[in-house]
Amino acid sequence: MNYLEKANLWKENPNLDLALRKELEAMDDKALQEAFTTDLEFGTGGLRGILGAGTNRMNIYIVSKATLGFGRYLSQFKDAHKRGVAIAHDNRHQSKEFARISAEVLTTLGFHVYLFEELRPTPELSFAVRHFGCVGGIMITASHNPKEYNGYKIYDESGCQLVPKDADQVIAEIHKITDYFAIDHSKNHEEIESIGRAVDEVYMKEVKKIILRPNLKKNFKLVYTPLHGTGQVFAPEVLKSVGYDVYPLACQMTNDPDFSGVKTSNPENKEAYDEAIAYAKEIGAPIVLATDPDADRLGIAVEHNGEYVLFTGNQTAALVLDYILKTRKEFNTLPKDGYVFTTNVSSTLPIAIAEKYGMKVEITLTGFKFIGEKAREMESGKGTYIFGFEESYGCLISDCVRDKDSIQAILMLCETAAYYFEQGMDLVDALHQVYEEYGFYKEGITNFNLSGLDGAAKIQRVMNFFRTNDIALKSFKILAKDDIKLSVHTDFATGQKTAILLPASNVIKYYLNDTMWFVLRPSGTEPKLKVYYGVVGQTLEEADAKLKQLADEVLAIVNTIE
């Protein structure tokens, strides 16, 4: 069925949502192609797409179809209907509606549903799944994407996002549904149980157990912004409850789906901090904390020599991990069977730190579901979960949650800051101390924004070029290559090929001399091709120069591909 035929099916439906019908009737041919040529697919973060009419858009019909498929998948598990499903949502347009219709589809199938009454952070949804003993969970969010987007994440009984082998079963169920306009969501609404503050209290109590040094002086100010998102529910409350002097940025502490008080909702972008840094300067706060709209990721800006320095996710993870391991060793609470988890596009500095303290390290694909899966493996006695992180500003300290958790990250980052302030150091000083010990690790990323059908085709051409051609760099020696889609590792010195024991994924990683590397990876949640780089230098200046040179040489190749 082509895009026009699919569009006509929508137009001919007499019960089509009136707002979607109005949008549909205003579409030109190009818009119809974009909205109907393909179907919205599950990526590393589940469903995520632009709101609107069409099979390639987020709307009540796509959400209902996904929920029906997910519900049928969950029904195979013992006592699934009785155990139920937990559902939460963020502050975006239609998030509350999508959460409600998901609940109704599930109750019609016979499930009990625990539905958060108002917006809540993603990590709390993960926690709630296990707290209530649910068979699964749903989070309605598009994380840090622009306001035009919304999304849909699904969780298993352990509070972990579904890994590919399980998500594939859900997708198979979704594909069996041919008429998503006829999906019933009219029955058993009395099985929707509204939840909220009582779960918050249990979650916050559990999260505060990660605190290692409760008696540190907390005589410094913090500015906090949720970027209009779910962190506003209780991030400031958690900080105040343990003694921190926190100043929420009022203009961004509102439930605003248009994100009108901030230039960007992504804490990876420096513009997200402009208003918060101005406020921090005004009140004399040395640290700015920013969580993304679903509050699973934390970004920070730190005052150093009169200027506010933004940390990357890699830098924050390295600093916090070093503090945790150092402190637990001092307190003799560091287990001999401890594990640290990271991803194949993240900094290798935390690996060096973990290995110094005798921790085992495992590397996964991008997507915190893979780290959540590793945390679940620890329950079988394999080892003790210590820390997990990925470069995109997400980490997890206590596996009471099985997803990234900015509330945990905030508590541990502030404790780390308090520890170093007592020694007369700020967090920039502390990070440089880590560099002096382990080497000056620097990472970078280039995002190619390639939206629409043309963009998707360009991404495919770039990946195919690197997959099928031998490349060379002027200033760096390529030692090996991982083609994770083909599950093949190639050692160029010997020509030997070995199997990669990771799920197949459209990712290519190159290993260079002196433990440097770069990766090409299409985003699973945005219309982007991402190129990641990692270098190590003997000084910060050398690392910066290497990073620029590596990026320039890789991008020169990418830019030759039409």
Side-chain angles (χ1 to χ4, degrees), residues 266-330:
N266 188 350
E268 294 182 64
N269 301 332
K270 61 183 179 61
E271 312 88 67
Y273 301 84
D274 288 352
E275 296 82 6
I277 287 175
Y279 184 41
K281 289 178 178 178
E282 179 185 329
I283 66 172
I287 297 175
V288 172
L289 307 164
T291 56
D292 67 335
D294 69 325
D296 61 353
R297 303 188 304 146
L298 169 68
I300 66 168
V302 177
E303 193 275 330
H304 179 72
N305 295 336
E307 298 292 332
Y308 283 81
V309 178
L310 270 63
F311 277 42
T312 68
N314 286 317
Q315 290 171 327
T316 303
L319 188 59
V320 167
L321 176 62
D322 182 70
Y323 170 74
I324 291 170
L325 297 181
K326 179 189 307 180
T327 301
R328 293 192 63 171
K329 182 177 181 181
E330 178 184 333

Side-chain angles (χ1 to χ4, degrees), residues 316-556:
T316 303
L319 188 59
V320 167
L321 176 62
D322 182 70
Y323 170 74
I324 291 170
L325 297 181
K326 179 189 307 180
T327 301
R328 293 192 63 171
K329 182 177 181 181
E330 178 184 333
F331 293 169
N332 294 315
T333 61
L334 195 59
K336 294 180 180 179
D337 64 348
Y339 276 79
V340 170
F341 302 101
T342 181
T343 74
N344 65 348
V345 300
S346 300
S347 172
T348 53
L349 174 54
I351 295 175
I353 295 169
E355 289 176 344
K356 175 198 170 181
Y357 287 93
M359 300 294 98
K360 295 181 177 67
V361 177
E362 290 195 11
I363 300 172
T364 75
L365 294 176
T366 303
F368 219 85
K369 57 177 170 275
F370 297 110
I371 294 176
E373 181 183 35
K374 292 294 183 182
R376 187 171 58 223
E377 289 176 6
M378 299 296 103
E379 294 177 349
S380 65
K382 177 179 178 180
T384 302
Y385 179 93
I386 296 294
F387 189 76
F389 87 100
E390 57 184 10
E391 60 80 32
S392 59
Y393 291 58
C395 73
L396 180 66
I397 298 152
S398 166
D399 73 338
C400 65
V401 170
R402 292 284 168 78
D403 208 338
K404 303 182 291 287
D405 190 344
S406 72
I407 310 301
Q408 292 189 35
I410 284 172
L411 279 177
M412 192 53 67
L413 186 281
C414 291
E415 181 175 331
T416 303
Y419 172 79
Y420 283 109
F421 278 143
E422 285 196 356
Q423 300 179 42
M425 302 166 64
D426 61 37
L427 289 178
V428 175
D429 297 324
L431 180 62
H432 279 262
Q433 182 173 279
V434 172
Y435 284 150
E436 290 287 351
E437 180 174 357
Y438 294 96
F440 288 83
Y441 288 70
K442 291 298 292 290
E443 298 78 33
I445 182 172
T446 302
N447 288 303
F448 291 89
N449 292 299
L450 298 164
S451 60
L453 299 175
D454 292 342
K458 175 65 179 289
I459 290 172
Q460 191 61 40
R461 289 195 297 274
V462 172
M463 296 302 293
N464 284 342
F465 180 89
F466 280 89
R467 179 162 286 118
T468 57
N469 289 276
D470 292 331
I471 65 164
L473 302 173
K474 296 178 181 178
S475 309
F476 306 89
K477 185 177 181 180
I478 299 175
L479 304 178
K481 173 183 176 181
D482 284 347
D483 188 331
I484 299 171
K485 184 176 182 179
L486 302 180
S487 300
V488 175
H489 172 83
T490 304
D491 185 317
F492 291 123
T494 65
Q496 184 177 4
K497 295 181 183 293
T498 54
I500 297 172
L501 302 179
L502 289 171
S505 182
N506 192 17
V507 178
I508 299 172
K509 181 168 186 175
Y510 290 86
Y511 298 87
L512 314 177
N513 55 293
D514 300 327
T515 68
M516 296 182 286
W517 53 272
F518 73 93
V519 174
L520 296 103
R521 170 186 166 264
S523 172
T525 57
E526 300 171 273
K528 290 180 179 180
L529 173 67
K530 296 189 172 188
V531 186
Y532 306 80
Y533 324 90
V535 302
V536 187
Q538 294 184 349
T539 65
L540 191 58
E541 293 73 21
E542 182 185 34
D544 285 337
K546 284 183 174 181
L547 185 62
K548 182 179 185 306
Q549 186 66 30
L550 177 57
D552 287 348
E553 293 187 23
V554 173
L555 296 182

